[in-house]
Amino acid sequence: MSPKKCPLDREQLEELTKQFSTPFHLYDEAAIRSNARALKAAFAWSPGFKEYFAVKAAPNPYLMKILKTEGFGADCSSLPELMLAESVGLSGEEIIFTSNDTPVNEYVKASQLGAIINLDDITHIEFLEQCAGLPELVCFRYNPGPLKGGNAIIGHPEEAKYGFTRPQLFEGYRILRDKGVKRFGLHTMVASNELEATYFIETAHLLFDLVDELFAELGIKFEFINIGGGIGIPYKPEQKAVDLTVVGEGIRKLYAEKIEKAGRGLLDVRMECGRMMTGPYGWLVSRVLHKKNTYKQYVGLDACMANLMRPALYGAYHHITVPGKENLPHNFVCDVTGSLCENNDKFAINRALPPVEVGDLMVIHDAGAHGHAMGFNYNGKLRSAELLLRENGEVVQIRRAETPQDYFATLDFAGLNNFKA
Ligand SMILES: *Cc1c(COP(=O)(O)O)cnc(C)c1O
């Protein structure tokens, strides 16, 4: 069971809305830090363990900075993400650049930053060499195809556009070796939002075995394996979070059996989780604008799918609470909607809630990853502010809400670019 709680109660949220109008995303620094420490503790046996926060989950430098002070790096896959990592003072091998279908300027930037470059395809060896030169350390993304089952969000690995096939992996490392590359990493990422701890242990197993085979065939040693991100979070109250100590302990055992026994020197275990680092510690706070009773009951919020797209995009479940009404009977069944002119702009369908009134606050849980980040402007909808609850209880704004000027910023059209809200 994963009880769904917002760190601020109704009164505190109401107080906050005097300063910041709804909707807004709220993040909890103390909870983000304590989860980050739990992940580190699970891998305390591995001195080189490093988590590279997948920036796309919550691309806000204030959040990235919190994770940096916990010792984490950044996993980037675009130019602006690399710029964000740079802005918080991450550099060199604290950044891993895992891109695909990569444009020249991104390899150039990653290379200037000295980031670990994780290639998605064998043809990118030559592409990278031509646009930025081959660095001393290169990593490949492996796609195990039918050798590993995927899951619902990422799909079957053999249908996934990412990574090298097994034969390409051997060929690719041979090319690198022959070109004089000295340092090697091996990466894979085959699941997303996976709640089964054994899945990650099996992924490490797969990579440990592969490192052995690559050594046997090519005589190259690996500095690290990166088992990717994909640790899931319990979006539903009846689900259970992944037990990180089980993951850490399972990988430790394999490490002892396979890496320490082989005696070829140690390698680091790395990860690049996004969702589990911030997801459960972020909430979308909104207010009920309207109630509507037609063929169904509807509750309309001042937030819409531009603020949190997962339910509309994947039919994903996000728990919803009505602050102050948590303990009332949940016998009001309704669809919770936003205002976008798309019928899938619904945060919940046939959800049992307590009796809801216009003006009530609503809290949508587990919105801290792939939430604000997936925001968009379709239908003239504007992205909300992001607020951070500091460890001392203070709430600070870490991103302001968009205004119509932001929406028009890329237009040079009389009457719009001077628009005043
Ligand atoms: C999205 C992504 C991640 C993070 O995935 P989560 O499910 O958020 O942990 C890590 N690595 C790569 C390459 C990704 O594309």
Side-chain angles (χ1 to χ4, degrees):
M1 286 291 287
S2 311
K4 297 292 171 192
K5 276 206 167 146
C6 177
L8 301 183
D9 64 16
R10 193 188 70 83
E11 230 165 85
Q12 291 166 312
L13 287 171
E14 285 292 359
E15 193 56 36
L16 205 54
T17 62
K18 292 181 186 158
Q19 199 183 347
F20 305 104
S21 50
T22 52
F24 53 77
H25 282 262
L26 174 71
Y27 304 89
D28 182 347
E29 175 175 7
I32 290 173
R33 286 190 188 278
S34 112
N35 177 65
R37 288 171 196 170
L39 179 62
K40 274 193 296 191
F43 284 90
W45 56 267
S46 166
F49 174 76
K50 197 165 180 79
E51 148 76 8
Y52 295 80
F53 174 60
V55 175
K56 76 169 189 277
N60 188 305
Y62 292 90
L63 301 176
M64 291 167 68
K65 200 148 196 173
I66 291 172
L67 293 168
K68 176 178 185 278
T69 63
E70 295 297 333
F72 295 171
D75 168 39
C76 303
S77 59
S78 66
L79 179 67
E81 287 184 1
L82 287 167
M83 293 165 75
L84 277 168
E86 187 180 22
S87 77
V88 302
L90 291 167
S91 65
E93 293 177 15
E94 293 174 315
I95 304 170
I96 183 163
F97 183 60
T98 300
S99 60
N100 68 92
D101 191 21
T102 315
V104 169
N105 65 338
E106 296 189 353
Y107 275 141
V108 169
K109 181 69 179 176
S111 160
Q112 281 166 356
L113 290 173
I116 298 170
I117 295 183
N118 187 18
L119 297 183
D120 183 66
D121 187 56
I122 194 162
T123 62
H124 285 223
I125 298 172
E126 204 180 319
F127 187 80
L128 175 63
E129 198 172 18
Q130 281 169 9
C131 60
L134 279 183
E136 179 186 289
L137 166 64
V138 182
C139 182
F140 289 158
R141 178 173 186 163
Y142 173 46
N143 180 334
L147 299 179
K148 176 112 179 134
N151 74 359
I153 289 196
I154 229 169
H156 291 292
E158 62 271 46
E159 296 292 336
K161 65 173 177 168
Y162 307 111
F164 288 57
T165 65
R166 203 181 137 90
Q168 286 172 342
L169 208 61
F170 283 80
E171 179 61 16
Y173 284 118
R174 183 190 309 281
I175 294 170
L176 289 186
R177 183 197 63 186
D178 295 347
K179 283 181 182 292
V181 169
K182 292 276 178 284
R183 302 171 56 207
F184 303 93
L186 174 62
H187 169 278
T188 195
M189 161 108 188
V190 280
S192 188
N193 197 26
E194 175 61 52
L195 284 171
E196 199 53 64
T198 50
Y199 196 92
F200 302 96
I201 302 168
E202 283 163 15
T203 301
H205 194 159
L206 184 89
L207 295 187
F208 287 150
D209 282 348
L210 202 47
V211 155
D212 256 358
E213 291 174 63
L214 285 160
F215 176 79
E217 178 126 350
L218 303 170
I220 61 174
K221 287 187 195 168
F222 283 80
E223 283 190 20
F224 66 84
I225 61 154
N226 181 336
I227 62 172
I231 294 186
I233 61 176
Y235 285 102
K236 297 183 177 164
E238 66 270 22
Q239 291 175 320
K240 262 186 72 187
V242 174
D243 187 338
L244 298 175
T245 55
V246 171
V247 177
E249 190 50 24
I251 296 179
R252 186 192 65 75
K253 281 199 190 122
L254 286 171
Y255 190 90
E257 271 167 40
K258 300 198 169 271
I259 304 300
E260 285 171 2
K261 266 212 189 121
R264 282 195 301 274
L266 303 182
L267 53 76
D268 295 338
V269 175
R270 297 185 179 173
M271 246 183 203
E272 49 188 36
C273 289
R275 189 188 310 274
M276 67 88 63
M277 302 309 307
T278 53
Y281 319 112
W283 297 264
L284 173 58
V285 179
S286 181
R287 203 181 280 284
V288 177
L289 277 185
H290 297 284
K291 277 177 74 177
K292 169 169 178 165
N293 186 359
T294 53
Y295 303 102
K296 294 182 88 170
Q297 298 271 8
Y298 294 99
V299 170
L301 302 186
D302 59 6
C304 71
M305 64 184 279
N307 307 114
L308 176 68
M309 184 157 55
R310 298 189 69 259
L313 186 63
Y314 318 116
Y317 180 95
H318 278 262
H319 199 67
I320 297 177
T321 53
V322 185
K325 295 187 173 175
E326 291 87 347
N327 299 322
L328 296 184
H330 283 47
N331 50 15
F332 174 62
V333 175
C334 61
D335 286 9
V336 179
T337 80
S339 59
L340 211 112
C341 298
E342 285 281 344
N343 193 43
N344 60 347
D345 185 14
K346 294 181 178 181
F347 293 109
I349 296 173
N350 298 330
R351 184 70 57 89
L353 292 175
V356 174
E357 300 308 329
V358 169
D360 280 349
L361 289 173
M362 269 203 187
V363 172
I364 305 180
H365 294 252
D366 302 302
H370 313 296
H372 189 283
M374 278 192 186
F376 58 95
N377 285 131
Y378 177 54
N379 216 181
K381 299 301 173 188
L382 304 174
R383 281 173 285 240
S384 71
E386 294 185 291
L387 310 180
L388 177 65
L389 172 62
R390 289 280 188 203
E391 285 180 296
N392 63 7
E394 183 193 0
V395 177
V396 293
Q397 180 168 260
I398 57 173
R399 186 196 302 270
R400 68 163 171 80
E402 287 177 344
T403 64
Q405 289 99 314
D406 297 315
Y407 182 66
F408 299 136
T410 50
L411 289 172
D412 185 10
F413 191 86
L416 288 181
N417 41 5
N418 292 320
F419 186 97
K420 295 271 186 294

Short mmCIF file of all heavy atoms in Angstrom, two decimals, residues 54 56-57 75 98 141 187 189 192-193 229-231 272-275 370, ligand 1:
data_model
loop_
_atom_site.label_atom_id
_atom_site.label_comp_id
_atom_site.label_asym_id
_atom_site.label_seq_id
_atom_site.Cartn_x
_atom_site.Cartn_y
_atom_site.Cartn_z
N ALA A 54 17.49 11.53 -14.93
CA ALA A 54 17.01 11.72 -16.30
C ALA A 54 16.26 13.04 -16.36
O ALA A 54 15.11 13.16 -15.91
CB ALA A 54 16.11 10.57 -16.72
N LYS A 56 14.72 14.74 -18.44
CA LYS A 56 13.42 14.93 -19.10
C LYS A 56 12.25 14.74 -18.14
O LYS A 56 11.17 15.24 -18.39
CB LYS A 56 13.29 13.99 -20.30
CG LYS A 56 13.01 12.53 -19.98
CD LYS A 56 12.64 11.78 -21.28
CE LYS A 56 12.13 10.38 -21.03
NZ LYS A 56 13.19 9.39 -20.86
N ALA A 57 12.47 14.04 -17.04
CA ALA A 57 11.38 13.79 -16.09
C ALA A 57 10.94 15.07 -15.39
O ALA A 57 9.75 15.24 -15.09
CB ALA A 57 11.81 12.75 -15.05
N ASP A 75 21.30 12.82 -16.80
CA ASP A 75 21.17 12.09 -18.06
C ASP A 75 20.41 12.99 -19.01
O ASP A 75 19.25 13.33 -18.76
CB ASP A 75 20.41 10.78 -17.81
CG ASP A 75 19.99 10.10 -19.09
OD1 ASP A 75 20.76 10.11 -20.06
OD2 ASP A 75 18.87 9.54 -19.13
N THR A 98 22.56 10.50 -23.54
CA THR A 98 21.93 9.33 -24.15
C THR A 98 20.87 9.83 -25.12
O THR A 98 19.74 10.09 -24.72
CB THR A 98 21.27 8.44 -23.07
OG1 THR A 98 22.27 8.00 -22.16
CG2 THR A 98 20.62 7.22 -23.70
N ARG A 141 24.51 1.96 -26.26
CA ARG A 141 23.22 1.53 -25.75
C ARG A 141 22.84 0.21 -26.41
O ARG A 141 22.73 0.14 -27.64
CB ARG A 141 22.16 2.59 -26.05
CG ARG A 141 20.79 2.18 -25.58
CD ARG A 141 19.78 3.31 -25.74
NE ARG A 141 18.52 2.94 -25.14
CZ ARG A 141 17.55 3.79 -24.82
NH1 ARG A 141 17.72 5.08 -25.04
NH2 ARG A 141 16.43 3.38 -24.28
N HIS A 187 25.49 0.26 -21.77
CA HIS A 187 24.23 0.78 -21.27
C HIS A 187 23.06 0.00 -21.87
O HIS A 187 23.15 -0.49 -22.99
CB HIS A 187 24.13 2.25 -21.70
CG HIS A 187 22.79 2.90 -21.51
ND1 HIS A 187 21.75 2.76 -22.42
CD2 HIS A 187 22.30 3.71 -20.53
CE1 HIS A 187 20.70 3.45 -22.00
NE2 HIS A 187 21.00 4.03 -20.86
N MET A 189 18.46 0.20 -21.59
CA MET A 189 17.26 0.73 -20.92
C MET A 189 16.08 0.09 -21.62
O MET A 189 15.78 0.39 -22.76
CB MET A 189 17.22 2.25 -21.06
CG MET A 189 15.87 2.88 -20.84
SD MET A 189 15.76 3.80 -19.30
CE MET A 189 14.01 4.17 -19.28
N SER A 192 10.11 0.88 -18.58
CA SER A 192 9.75 2.14 -17.96
C SER A 192 8.61 1.89 -17.00
O SER A 192 7.75 1.05 -17.26
CB SER A 192 9.35 3.14 -19.05
OG SER A 192 9.18 4.41 -18.47
N ASN A 193 8.63 2.58 -15.91
CA ASN A 193 7.61 2.42 -14.86
C ASN A 193 7.43 0.95 -14.46
O ASN A 193 6.31 0.48 -14.33
CB ASN A 193 6.28 3.03 -15.31
CG ASN A 193 5.35 3.25 -14.14
OD1 ASN A 193 5.80 3.41 -13.00
ND2 ASN A 193 4.06 3.23 -14.38
N GLY A 229 17.12 3.74 -16.61
CA GLY A 229 16.14 4.17 -15.61
C GLY A 229 15.01 3.18 -15.57
O GLY A 229 15.24 1.97 -15.71
N GLY A 230 13.82 3.68 -15.40
CA GLY A 230 12.66 2.81 -15.53
C GLY A 230 12.10 2.26 -14.23
O GLY A 230 11.12 1.51 -14.26
N ILE A 231 12.71 2.59 -13.11
CA ILE A 231 12.11 2.14 -11.84
C ILE A 231 10.75 2.84 -11.70
O ILE A 231 10.66 4.07 -11.80
CB ILE A 231 13.02 2.44 -10.64
CG1 ILE A 231 14.30 1.60 -10.74
CG2 ILE A 231 12.29 2.19 -9.31
CD1 ILE A 231 15.22 1.67 -9.55
N GLU A 272 20.09 5.63 -14.43
CA GLU A 272 19.62 6.96 -14.85
C GLU A 272 18.11 7.02 -14.71
O GLU A 272 17.38 7.10 -15.69
CB GLU A 272 20.08 7.27 -16.29
CG GLU A 272 19.81 6.16 -17.27
CD GLU A 272 20.42 6.39 -18.63
OE1 GLU A 272 21.53 6.95 -18.71
OE2 GLU A 272 19.79 5.98 -19.62
N CYS A 273 17.68 6.98 -13.47
CA CYS A 273 16.24 7.04 -13.20
C CYS A 273 15.76 8.48 -13.24
O CYS A 273 16.46 9.40 -12.82
CB CYS A 273 15.94 6.46 -11.82
SG CYS A 273 16.16 4.67 -11.81
N GLY A 274 14.57 8.65 -13.72
CA GLY A 274 13.92 9.95 -13.69
C GLY A 274 12.69 9.88 -12.80
O GLY A 274 12.63 10.47 -11.72
N ARG A 275 11.73 9.09 -13.26
CA ARG A 275 10.42 8.99 -12.59
C ARG A 275 10.51 8.80 -11.08
O ARG A 275 9.88 9.53 -10.32
CB ARG A 275 9.66 7.81 -13.20
CG ARG A 275 8.21 7.71 -12.78
CD ARG A 275 7.60 6.40 -13.29
NE ARG A 275 7.86 6.20 -14.71
CZ ARG A 275 7.11 6.68 -15.69
NH1 ARG A 275 6.03 7.36 -15.42
NH2 ARG A 275 7.45 6.48 -16.95
N HIS A 370 7.59 13.63 -15.45
CA HIS A 370 6.81 13.54 -16.70
C HIS A 370 5.45 14.23 -16.51
O HIS A 370 4.44 13.77 -17.03
CB HIS A 370 6.66 12.07 -17.14
CG HIS A 370 7.94 11.29 -17.11
ND1 HIS A 370 9.01 11.59 -17.92
CD2 HIS A 370 8.35 10.24 -16.35
CE1 HIS A 370 10.01 10.75 -17.67
NE2 HIS A 370 9.64 9.92 -16.72
C1 LIG B 1 13.34 8.39 -20.09
C2 LIG B 1 14.69 7.85 -19.93
C3 LIG B 1 15.20 7.60 -18.66
C4 LIG B 1 14.38 7.78 -17.41
O1 LIG B 1 13.30 6.93 -17.38
P1 LIG B 1 12.37 6.88 -16.07
O2 LIG B 1 11.31 5.91 -16.46
O3 LIG B 1 11.87 8.26 -15.87
O4 LIG B 1 13.22 6.41 -14.95
C5 LIG B 1 16.48 7.14 -18.55
N1 LIG B 1 17.25 6.93 -19.63
C6 LIG B 1 16.80 7.17 -20.88
C7 LIG B 1 17.71 6.92 -22.02
C8 LIG B 1 15.50 7.63 -21.07
O5 LIG B 1 15.07 7.86 -22.31
#
